[in-house]
Amino acid sequence: MCTGVSFDAGTACCFSGHRFIKNSDLELIKKNLIEIIKNLYAEGFRVFLSGGAIGFDTMAAEAVISLRNQLEDIRLVMALPCRNQDIKWTAGQKRLYNKVLSLADEVIYVSESYTAGCMHKRNRFMVDSSSAVVTYITHMGGGTAYTLNYALNTGGRRIINVLTMQ
């Protein structure tokens, strides 16, 4: 559960993006994620939160992991909606998810088990725990739109679209 969080929101950034990524966006996202994370690190960000979903969340977590040799005190925190988030995923998706979890510096579950609102609860937790949101958004639908609207409505957070770097 999400008690005793061990980082400062002022030096934390969360990721929010679609599960399904357009093939034409893949290389640009990978390149831009690395650059954005490095830039945020240079500004003092040290903690990067991923919600652990398939797609952009996983790509972002892998980007943080890949930078550990260059950025020594960078931390990956997996903020997960529930313990069985991966129950309906394929075997390959579960393998990648478990690999990323094993490499995380911290894993936080916002709910013990799946509930109708646990995904939104996870998204609000990540935004509330961050001062920047890096997003991959191509349409205003689903959990990504919900999360960005929440970030905009609660104010005070920088939002960076990985496609435009703004």
Side-chain angles (χ1 to χ4, degrees), residues 10 12-14 35-45 127 130-135 148 151-152 155-161 165-166:
C13 168
C14 68
E35 187 174 339
I36 290 167
I37 294 166
K38 284 181 175 180
N39 290 343
L40 289 170
Y41 183 89
E43 294 173 22
F45 286 81
V127 169
S130 302
S131 58
V133 179
V134 175
T135 186
L148 286 183
L152 290 168
R157 284 169 195 85
R158 186 163 141 205
I159 298 174
I160 304 165
N161 187 326
M165 305 257 312
Q166 303 178 35

Side-chain angles (χ1 to χ4, degrees), residues 16 22 25 27 30 35 42 48-49 55 74 83 88 94 97 106 108 111 127 133 137 154-155 159:
S16 180
K22 295 177 184 178
D25 291 341
E27 288 308 311
K30 287 178 185 177
E35 187 174 339
F48 294 84
L49 290 95
I74 195 169
R83 291 190 183 276
K88 295 183 179 179
K94 288 180 182 190
Y97 177 69
E106 187 173 355
I108 298 167
S111 298
V127 169
V133 179
I137 188 159
T154 55
I159 298 174

Side-chain angles (χ1 to χ4, degrees), residues 63-145:
V64 172
I65 292 164
S66 76
L67 289 168
R68 283 189 172 149
N69 290 334
Q70 297 172 44
L71 312 173
E72 70 179 44
D73 56 345
I74 195 169
R75 291 183 55 213
L76 174 63
V77 174
M78 300 300 289
L80 306 179
C82 56
R83 291 190 183 276
N84 62 342
Q85 171 177 235
D86 64 343
I87 194 166
K88 295 183 179 179
W89 296 0
T90 67
Q93 291 166 334
K94 288 180 182 190
R95 271 192 303 279
L96 179 56
Y97 177 69
N98 287 318
K99 178 184 174 194
V100 169
L101 286 184
S102 73
L103 296 171
D105 296 292
E106 187 173 355
V107 177
I108 298 167
Y109 297 94
V110 298
S111 298
E112 200 56 38
S113 58
Y114 180 83
T115 63
C118 71
M119 300 293 180
H120 290 323
K121 182 178 178 182
R122 181 264 325 265
N123 296 341
R124 289 189 304 271
F125 169 79
M126 289 197 315
V127 169
D128 292 342
S129 301
S130 302
S131 58
V133 179
V134 175
T135 186
Y136 167 67
I137 188 159
T138 59
H139 61 278
M140 288 306 288
T144 301

